[in-house]
Amino acid sequence: MAEPTPHGTAHIDRDAHETVANPARMYDYFLGGHNNLPVDRERAEKIKEFLPETSSLVWENRRFLQRAVRELAGAGLRQFVDIGPGLPTQGSVHQIAKNAGHDTRVAYVDNDPTVLRVAGELLTDVPDVTVMRGDVRQPESIISDLRRGGLIDLSQPVVVLLVAVLHFVDDKDRPERILETIRDALAPGSYLVLSHLTDDGPDPDAVARTVAVYEKASAQIVFRNADSIRSLFAGWQLVDPGFVQPAQWRPDENTDPPTGWLRAGVGRLD
């Protein structure tokens, strides 16, 4: 069942004239949210035409994020950096993490103007939560801004979330370098939570048609094979159950069967 946005709907209708779909708003629509525009809904419905399980796929990814945050916060992690979080919705990182510890601090990092504006409107009064402008393709700048911001202490363990983000990063931008830069800036005991679309398993025609839909969005999508995705965990020790489909990562009573479109894992920095 779709979950409502946590603090109401932001004033996204001010951009109703936009003609280019936005992946964050499309994701919001798939989750049943209201922070999206007609152009986003049109593109999203085109995907549903040949991929009826799209909503299941998106919720598989979302619930993986929620379980991972719940587990790590429950284990005592108190700092979370969510890069490319999309639009705030029910069960966001700060909500889940703060349920486990009142001293939790969360930084959301995104370069999408829509995300920055809406998140700023909805989260401005939430304590120990910050929304920062940053591009995952420029990890050095993100690290620098985190150090300068003061909310996140990089000398202590941090949970970095890159959930359904790196499939919007082209090979020329070297996603492995992005992960290496982030890893080298973190303290031992930090964690990486990562999920990524894969072309190992899904129908090739559906993959090609998904890529075509996103060619007309503000960010294009890149499918990678499972081995390439797993290699992004270089330098991290995968925690149990390892590199799996998101629905297979520590499932609970709310976990639906895997869709086959995603691979995910949680790695620890020793």
Side-chain angles (χ1 to χ4, degrees):
M1 179 178 295
E3 301 178 27
T5 51
H7 309 293
T9 303
H11 300 297
I12 204 162
D13 57 350
R14 69 183 66 173
D15 291 327
H17 64 280
E18 288 190 17
T19 59
V20 178
N22 175 286
R25 297 193 308 253
M26 290 171 66
Y27 191 79
D28 176 74
Y29 177 69
F30 287 134
L31 288 172
H34 303 287
N35 290 314
N36 49 75
L37 300 174
V39 65
D40 308 309
R41 297 190 283 275
E42 178 188 355
R43 290 280 101 191
E45 288 298 326
K46 285 187 178 298
I47 293 177
K48 286 186 175 182
E49 288 175 6
F50 59 85
L51 186 58
E53 66 268 34
T54 301
S55 292
S56 296
L57 186 164
V58 170
W59 276 109
E60 178 183 9
N61 183 71
R62 187 72 184 175
R63 289 182 175 128
F64 159 69
L65 176 149
Q66 294 170 341
R67 292 195 306 277
V69 170
R70 188 176 299 116
E71 291 267 354
L72 293 172
L77 277 298
R78 290 294 178 262
Q79 300 191 106
F80 294 79
V81 176
D82 191 356
I83 301 176
L87 293 161
T89 186
Q90 186 74 15
S92 291
V93 171
H94 70 282
Q95 294 173 310
I96 295 173
K98 285 179 179 295
N99 282 338
H102 295 297
D103 55 344
T104 297
R105 290 167 282 169
V106 178
Y108 291 109
V109 183
D110 212 298
N111 71 334
D112 188 313
T114 300
V115 171
L116 292 169
R117 189 186 70 239
V118 173
E121 290 179 7
L122 297 181
L123 302 177
T124 186
D125 295 325
V126 181
D128 294 325
V129 175
T130 188
V131 180
M132 301 169 39
R133 182 183 300 276
D135 191 325
V136 69
R137 294 166 296 184
Q138 300 170 353
E140 296 89 352
S141 294
I142 292 175
I143 296 301
S144 176
D145 289 345
L146 287 169
R147 289 194 173 113
R148 188 163 49 247
L151 180 67
I152 302 296
D153 181 0
L154 294 181
S155 70
Q156 299 299 314
V158 176
V159 178
V160 174
L161 299 109
L162 285 164
V163 177
V165 171
L166 291 178
H167 49 237
F168 292 108
V169 175
D170 195 88
D171 287 341
K172 72 177 187 300
D173 292 309
R174 297 179 57 200
E176 71 283 354
R177 177 196 64 85
I178 293 170
L179 268 299
E180 180 181 354
T181 301
I182 292 171
R183 187 191 68 218
D184 290 349
L186 300 180
S190 295
Y191 285 83
L192 170 67
V193 180
L194 183 150
S195 66
H196 196 298
L197 285 168
T198 183
D199 53 10
D200 281 346
D203 175 65
D205 180 63
V207 169
R209 294 177 72 178
T210 301
V211 170
V213 168
Y214 277 91
E215 284 178 352
K216 297 182 180 179
S218 60
Q220 287 65 59
I221 209 160
V222 180
F223 283 78
R224 294 184 171 93
N225 62 44
D227 287 342
S228 295
I229 300 168
R230 186 178 187 126
S231 70
L232 298 174
F233 285 97
W236 302 84
Q237 298 299 316
L238 283 163
V239 303
D240 182 68
F243 182 67
V244 293
Q245 298 184 56
Q248 297 170 326
W249 199 90
R250 305 190 185 184
D252 57 26
E253 66 275 6
N254 296 317
T255 306
D256 294 323
T259 63
W261 282 73
L262 294 153
R263 296 294 184 276
V266 175
R268 186 180 190 276
L269 186 61
D270 293 330

